[in-house]
Amino acid sequence: MWAALLPVGRDTATGGYDRFVWTPSELECRAWFLDEARARSLDVESDGNGNLFAWWHPADGRRDDAVLTGSHLDSVPGGGAFDGPLGVVSAFAAIDLLRARGVEPARPLGVAAFAEEEGARFGVACLGSRLLAGAIDPARARALTDGAGRTFAEVAAENGVDPDGIGRDDALLSRVGCYVELHVEQGRALGPATPVGVASAIVPHGRWRLDFTGEGNHAGTTRLIDRRDPMLPFASTVLAARAAAERHDSVATVGKVRVVPGGVNAIPSAVAAWLDSRGPDERSVRATVADVLEHARAAARGHGVGVELTEESYTEVVDFNLALRDRVVRALGGVPVLPTGAGHDAGVLSAVLPTAMLFVRNPTGVSHAPAEHAETADCLAGVEALAAVLADLVRG
Ligand code: HGY
Ligand code: MN
Ligand code: MN
Ligand code: MN
């Protein structure tokens, strides 16, 4: 199963993955999901938001109080192999284990693949689960654009999703009792003796876009005194973001920049930069962003440049459902419980469902990059753990 998915969207030169929603490599991942579901005679469903579901329904046809597991198949640009797919592959593998052990679910057991979890194409993370949970205005989602200026509505329509039908799906949510997501750990908290952990919380995190607007001009004939170069306040703001993070015990990253027009011999007319900031509490994140904006405005003024800040998404702290978390920890006989600095569909869905997360050890501690890794033995321990949790949750 893993071997079939591994090469999809992989850059053989870097080992990184580019699987952006509804692009050829992600569509190939969707086809893989449907093949694996059908190979297990699971009932396949896609909701009105581009998310995929595969259901193992009990013999008595029960449809309510389902246990849902899974994750996402899309990636960040140049992402790792495990972030997302490990949760989906482990879900199918856990079903195989349960069936091999003669488990008959008393309630439906579903595998989900949520769309656009990384927000790498349309800019909002967990877009599929946010739409399902009603956590984003459908009109805003429809108007989101990708790097080529194509809207979510256009691309969704081309892929069988009615843009006028996106949004909170109460019919589906009412059938689900809880969601448990397995995910590769994206830090270094799990050691060799503890291949599996359980999430306690997701720290507050968000994304902001900074638009610096200056005056495009000729790189050779424009005197320094005459320039309104947006690249200069942008550059100093990146350094200011790092200083603000150190001041406020948060993290701040500028990983994406768009320079217009992007010519070597043209002073840019505009620079768009995206800030990702996360911290132990909302105060530290808000203080970081406030400092960044204050610096950006002062730097922009100094160069005769305009600057606008737009909040693209913000997720407050997610404290996973304690009762479900404790039940998961009990089913696993006691494993480490740890917070994460990474956002997840389980975090978004925790607003509408009891959710829990399992983490599988990542010996490199690297994620969102080709060095992201999980040893086979630890992945198998993750499948065993997920199967134990699901067996406990689906029993009558
Ligand atoms: O950005 C995140 O934290 C997640 O991997 N989408
Ligand atoms: Mn990720
Ligand atoms: Mn992920
Ligand atoms: Mn010229």
Side-chain angles (χ1 to χ4, degrees):
M1 201 174 12
W2 185 252
L5 193 57
L6 209 50
V8 179
R10 184 171 185 272
D11 178 329
T12 46
T14 64
Y17 286 82
D18 288 335
R19 294 169 172 163
F20 312 136
V21 69
W22 292 320
T23 61
S25 56
E26 196 259 4
L27 289 169
E28 221 181 305
C29 292
R30 286 171 178 263
W32 167 88
F33 180 92
L34 298 176
D35 289 347
E36 292 299 334
R38 290 188 180 115
R40 291 167 178 79
S41 308
L42 302 178
D43 297 327
V44 169
E45 175 184 12
S46 61
D47 72 352
N49 299 307
N51 303 310
L52 294 176
F53 301 87
W55 298 104
W56 177 10
H57 286 120
D60 65 7
R62 183 174 178 183
R63 286 293 189 276
D64 70 312
D65 200 20
V67 176
L68 188 60
T69 183
S71 189
H72 61 95
L73 295 169
D74 66 305
S75 74
V76 295
F82 298 85
D83 177 352
L86 183 64
V88 181
V89 170
S90 300
F92 285 127
I95 285 178
D96 295 345
L97 271 188
L98 295 180
R99 284 176 166 173
R101 294 170 182 169
V103 171
E104 269 301 323
R107 53 177 55 85
L109 173 53
V111 180
F114 288 105
E116 186 67 340
E117 192 274 351
E118 297 294 1
R121 181 169 185 180
F122 293 102
V124 172
C126 299
L127 185 55
S129 54
R130 284 179 198 269
L131 283 166
L132 171 63
I136 184 169
D137 174 0
R140 179 182 170 214
R142 276 190 282 272
L144 291 173
T145 55
D146 65 9
R150 309 216 45 227
T151 65
F152 179 85
E154 283 172 283
V155 177
E158 284 168 3
N159 289 279
V161 171
D162 172 8
D164 296 326
I166 63 174
R168 184 178 170 119
D169 188 338
D170 282 311
L172 197 152
L173 289 173
S174 66
R175 287 188 273 129
V176 180
C178 66
Y179 173 62
V180 179
E181 177 171 353
L182 180 144
H183 202 282
V184 66
E185 199 214 336
Q186 295 171 296
R188 303 172 187 278
L190 292 173
T194 54
V196 175
V198 170
S200 58
I202 296 178
V203 302
H205 59 284
R207 297 182 180 193
W208 291 264
R209 172 176 164 150
L210 282 157
D211 284 295
F212 296 91
T213 45
E215 180 183 55
N217 212 326
H218 196 296
T221 57
T222 312
R223 299 180 308 167
L224 294 183
I225 185 91
D226 296 331
R227 294 181 179 212
R228 293 197 297 115
D229 182 351
M231 194 64 99
L232 298 172
F234 154 70
S236 74
T237 300
V238 175
L239 298 173
R242 174 57 185 254
E246 286 166 1
R247 248 191 325 277
H248 298 296
D249 185 30
S250 66
V251 289
T253 312
V254 177
K256 179 180 174 181
V257 184
R258 191 155 58 213
V259 181
V260 175
V264 172
N265 56 351
I267 301 168
S269 55
V271 174
W274 283 264
L275 171 71
D276 176 314
S277 185
R278 316 188 188 202
D281 53 43
E282 177 154 14
R283 188 213 57 78
S284 84
V285 176
R286 293 292 182 193
T288 302
V289 177
D291 282 8
V292 169
L293 180 56
E294 186 182 342
H295 176 95
R297 283 179 173 150
R301 236 186 339 270
H303 290 282
V305 167
V307 63
E308 286 285 320
L309 176 91
T310 309
E311 180 168 293
E312 293 207 332
S313 66
Y314 177 72
T315 307
E316 57 192 22
V317 63
V318 169
D319 289 308
F320 286 106
N321 178 288
L322 208 49
L324 179 60
R325 187 187 94 190
D326 289 349
R327 182 168 177 178
V328 166
V329 171
R330 273 198 311 277
L332 299 179
V335 290
V337 177
L338 55 147
T340 178
H344 296 283
D345 294 308
V348 170
L349 293 172
S350 69
V352 292
L353 288 172
T355 66
M357 286 196 80
L358 297 180
F359 290 129
V360 170
R361 182 169 80 96
N362 170 349
T364 67
V366 173
S367 184
H368 283 186
E372 181 183 274
H373 188 64
E375 304 291 350
T376 303
D378 292 343
C379 293
L380 294 174
V383 172
E384 282 288 352
L386 183 60
V389 166
L390 296 176
D392 173 50
L393 291 170
V394 295
R395 63 186 160 76

